[in-house]
């Protein structure tokens, strides 16, 4: 079995997805110096620009399949075409980013290739010649270590866990190939932009973010009151709060929400799942408030407050009000 790493590149409107460069870093950690450079696979309708960008910025060879009508991801077409290409290339690893597309594609490719499928990987280590893939489990309280028992392994990596690779000084080759496939059961007719990030959230210097530990509507009101005590502030939330309609999805911070970088981020009743951390890890100073002293959010907090969030928020509001009246206290 050839030790060849194949990377599936996501692209949009003629540009490579920025997370692709995280995938590149992962591939460089995975391969040892004796192995050839990874090969990049790309599918789509108009992919020349993104394919050239990939070869120029990574120094890797790109195999591109231009498919009329494939403006957006389609799992059936991607699976059929990629399996045909991968059966020719015979890579040892097939890697994608754990986006909605990557996580949709990986299991079907692994079934087609008879490969192990290890998803949402956050770290990779080579120990005694064995590749070990690590990812958070139990809401971030523990780390699971996986190793593959098959010749081919399909891996997805969690966005935000690997640095972005530097741009390479030399260029690889781009090869356009034609692939015969039959795929007609599903057609993507439109991709609608999501609500996007609340402009308040992206511009806020202070974000008070609410998680499931906030529990009741009245407690949310307390957090809005707390946010109101700072200028340029906003209330953010975790995905369960936006999924349940308690707060607008425009306030959601994380992998499928906004990426924020305020000076101060107060995480209120938030466990600290990796998908949330990805969105707030660039914050300047983080205060975590949680009743569970082992909550993973504390691994990312500058100040860890083990307390009931509502009680603590009320005390904080009182303390700030008192300080504002007499800043010398
Ligand atoms: C593909 C995918 C994308 C995702 N995208 C996102 C995303 O963009 N953003 C996001 O946030 N999540 C996202 N998630 C969900 C994520 O995995 C977690 O489920 C979510 O972040 C957990 O939210 P939470 O911390 O509010 O809830 P929980 O994990 O239930 O945590 C609640 C916390 O509150 C604490 N608590 C309970 N009572 C109190 C109290 N009285 N006072 C203080 N603390 C208390 C608990 O100890 C616990 O730690 C995504 C998941 C997937 C699979």
């Amino acid at each position: 079995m050839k030790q060849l790493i194949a990377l599936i590149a996501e692209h949009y409107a003629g540009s490579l997805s920025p997370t692709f460069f995280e995938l590149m870093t992962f591939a460089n950690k995975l391969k040892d110096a004796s192995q050839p450079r990874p090969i990049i696979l790309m599918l789509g309708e108009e992919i020349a620009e993104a394919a050239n960008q990939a070869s120029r910025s990574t120094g890797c060879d790109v195999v591109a399949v231009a498919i009329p009508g494939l403006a957006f991801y389609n799992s059936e077409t991607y699976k059929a075409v990629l399996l045909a290409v991968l059966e020719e290339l015979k890579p040892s690893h097939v890697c994608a980013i754990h986006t909605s597309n990557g996580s949709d594609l990986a299991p079907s490719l692994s079934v087609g290739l008879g490969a192990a499928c290890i998803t949402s990987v956050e770290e990779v280590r080579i120990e005694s010649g064995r590749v070990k893939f690590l990812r958070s489990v139990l809401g971030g309280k523990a780390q699971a270590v996986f190793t593959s028992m098959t010749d081919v392994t399909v891996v997805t990596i969690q966005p935000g866990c690997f640095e972005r690779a530097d741009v390479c000084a030399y260029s690889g080759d781009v090869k356009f190939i034609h692939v015969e496939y039959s795929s007609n059961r599903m057609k993507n007719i439109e991709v609608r932009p999501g609500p996007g990030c609340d402009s308040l959230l992206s511009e806020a210097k202070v974000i008070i973010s609410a998680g499931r530990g906030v529990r009741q509507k009245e407690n949310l009101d307390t957090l809005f009151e707390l946010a109101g005590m700072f200028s340029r502030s906003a209330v953010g939330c975790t995905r369960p709060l936006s999924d349940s309609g308690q707060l607008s999805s425009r306030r959601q911070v994380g992998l499928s929400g906004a990426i924020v970088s305020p000076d101060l981020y107060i995480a209120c009743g938030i466990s600290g799942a990796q998908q949330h951390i990805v969105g707030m890890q660039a914050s300047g100073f983080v205060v975590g408030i949680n009743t569970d002293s082992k909550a993973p959010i504390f691994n990312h907090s500058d100040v860890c407050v083990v307390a009931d969030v509502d009680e603590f928020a009320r005390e904080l509001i009182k303390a700030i009000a008192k300080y504002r009246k007499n800043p010398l206290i």
Side-chain angles (χ1 to χ4, degrees):
M1 175 61 54
K2 247 189 315 184
Q3 288 298 304
L4 178 70
I5 299 172
L7 304 180
I8 299 167
E10 288 196 19
H11 55 95
Y12 190 70
S15 281
L16 271 179
S17 152
T19 49
F20 172 75
F21 295 96
E22 298 172 24
L23 195 59
M24 198 63 220
T25 302
F26 166 77
N28 288 334
K29 285 189 157 194
L30 182 60
K31 83 176 194 62
D32 70 40
S34 65
Q35 290 169 6
R37 294 187 71 74
I39 194 150
I40 299 168
L41 309 181
M42 201 178 273
L43 273 70
E45 190 167 34
E46 288 172 9
I47 46 168
E49 214 177 305
N52 286 327
Q53 186 195 356
S55 71
R56 272 198 318 269
S57 50
T58 63
C60 296
D61 292 345
V62 178
V63 173
V65 191
I67 300 178
L70 191 68
F72 301 110
Y73 173 79
N74 174 319
S75 57
E76 194 193 8
T77 313
Y78 264 65
K79 179 189 163 195
V81 173
L82 283 172
L83 280 180
V85 176
L86 292 167
E87 269 155 24
E88 283 290 309
L89 286 175
K90 303 207 181 321
S92 53
H93 295 85
V94 181
C95 312
I97 287 272
H98 198 86
T99 54
S100 51
N101 296 353
S103 57
D104 179 64
L105 184 61
S108 63
L109 287 183
S110 82
V111 171
L113 295 167
C117 187
I118 302 177
T119 56
S120 237
V121 167
E122 294 162 10
E123 205 183 320
V124 60
R125 288 187 200 147
I126 319 257
E127 286 171 7
S128 317
R130 182 149 230 177
V131 182
K132 296 191 173 165
F133 301 99
L134 286 76
R135 76 151 190 246
S136 303
V137 289
L138 302 172
K141 284 191 176 165
Q143 243 187 352
V145 183
F146 297 89
T147 194
S148 174
M149 306 301 284
T150 52
D151 289 340
V152 187
T153 309
V154 177
V155 185
T156 64
I157 68 149
Q158 188 67 46
C161 293
F162 294 88
E163 298 273 311
R164 291 186 185 179
D166 292 335
V167 171
C168 187
Y170 54 93
S171 190
D173 292 331
V174 180
K175 190 166 146 197
F176 282 91
I177 61 165
H178 175 74
V179 175
E180 288 294 336
Y181 68 96
S182 76
S183 158
N184 53 17
R185 284 179 293 185
M186 191 166 91
K187 191 176 172 194
N188 191 335
I189 44 175
E190 189 188 7
V191 171
R192 294 187 181 153
C197 166
D198 194 317
S199 62
L200 282 176
L201 216 52
S202 58
E203 284 157 25
K205 291 278 172 210
V206 177
I207 294 180
I208 312 294
S209 210
R212 249 199 316 223
V214 169
R215 301 183 319 275
Q216 295 152 26
K217 157 98 183 52
E218 306 83 73
N219 300 352
L220 267 180
D221 294 342
T222 310
L223 297 190
F224 274 94
E225 191 183 338
L226 178 60
M229 303 195 87
F230 301 91
S231 58
R232 292 189 65 186
S233 63
V235 172
C237 67
T238 59
R239 181 160 158 176
L241 268 80
S242 62
D243 280 355
S244 64
Q246 282 171 280
L247 285 171
S248 150
S249 60
R250 293 166 65 89
R251 295 189 182 273
Q252 183 185 316
V253 173
L255 179 61
S256 44
I259 307 290
V260 298
S261 51
D263 293 341
L264 173 62
Y265 190 87
I266 307 188
C268 304
I270 291 176
S271 58
Q274 186 57 35
Q275 293 88 356
H276 185 78
I277 299 301
V278 166
M280 49 65 72
Q281 63 192 355
S283 303
F285 194 87
V286 178
V287 178
I289 310 168
N290 202 303
T291 42
D292 177 1
S293 62
K294 294 197 171 63
I297 189 69
F298 291 148
N299 299 332
H300 306 272
S301 301
D302 298 287
V303 171
C304 308
V305 182
V306 181
D308 173 88
V309 64
D310 192 54
E311 276 175 25
F312 185 81
R314 285 177 196 283
E315 288 304 318
L316 190 56
I317 289 169
K318 276 194 230 156
I320 295 171
K322 198 166 164 189
Y323 173 80
R324 294 246 164 102
K325 267 195 209 139
N326 185 355
L328 296 177
I329 290 173

